[in-house]
């Protein structure tokens, strides 16, 4: 577009599974709050890497109708990996935090 650039910077991005490479210990707690990118990250994270977590908390904004299907599927996936879970609904329920531990 024709608007002037006020600020720019280069960033280094990692794919979620890259974060786990080279780690030999379990991760005690992972918090994910990335303003709409949570579904993509949690869909792509491998089961092996999920198993290296002790606790996971992710905040979501229900921004599309099929989100409940993702939520149910991800909770079932985590339960199959041995995690317990609860969902904290905020306000009208469109903002929610999924919590997992084992």
């Amino acid at each position: 577009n024709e608007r002037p650039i006020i600020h720019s910077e280069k960033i280094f991005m990692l794919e979620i599974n890259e974060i786990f490479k080279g780690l030999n210990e379990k991760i005690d707690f992972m918090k994910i709050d990335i303003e709409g990118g949570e579904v993509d990250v949690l869909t792509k994270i491998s089961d092996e890497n999920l198993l290296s977590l002790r606790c996971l908390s992710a905040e979501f904004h229900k921004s599309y109708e099929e989100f409940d299907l993702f939520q149910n599927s991800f909770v079932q996936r985590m339960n199959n990996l041995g995690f317990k879970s609860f969902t904290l609904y905020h306000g009208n329920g469109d903002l929610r935090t999924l919590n997992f531990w084992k």
Side-chain angles (χ1 to χ4, degrees), residues 12 14-25 27 30 44-46 48-50 52-53:
F12 181 73
L14 291 174
E15 194 268 338
I16 185 63
N17 291 299
E18 293 288 320
I19 294 171
F20 293 87
K21 286 187 177 176
L23 292 178
N24 296 324
E25 298 178 15
I27 297 171
M30 178 180 269
K44 292 178 182 175
I45 193 169
S46 70
E48 178 183 354
N49 289 332
L50 287 171
S52 72
L53 302 174

Side-chain angles (χ1 to χ4, degrees), residues 30-38 57-61 95 97:
M30 178 180 269
K31 169 77 166 102
I32 300 176
D33 183 2
I34 50 178
E35 303 307 319
E38 296 85 359
S57 181
E59 180 183 284
F60 294 90
H61 299 268
L95 176 61
T97 306

Side-chain angles (χ1 to χ4, degrees), residues 6-7 12 21 24 32 36 38 41 46 60 64 74-75 81 84 89 96 99:
I6 297 171
H7 174 79
F12 181 73
K21 286 187 177 176
N24 296 324
I32 300 176
E38 296 85 359
V41 167
S46 70
F60 294 90
Y64 56 95
F74 189 73
V75 168
L81 293 173
K84 296 178 183 172
Y89 294 90
R96 55 191 75 173
N99 301 279

Side-chain angles (χ1 to χ4, degrees), residues 83-98:
F83 287 87
K84 296 178 183 172
S85 65
F86 72 91
T87 302
L88 179 61
Y89 294 90
H90 310 273
N92 67 357
D94 286 347
L95 176 61
R96 55 191 75 173
T97 306
L98 279 62

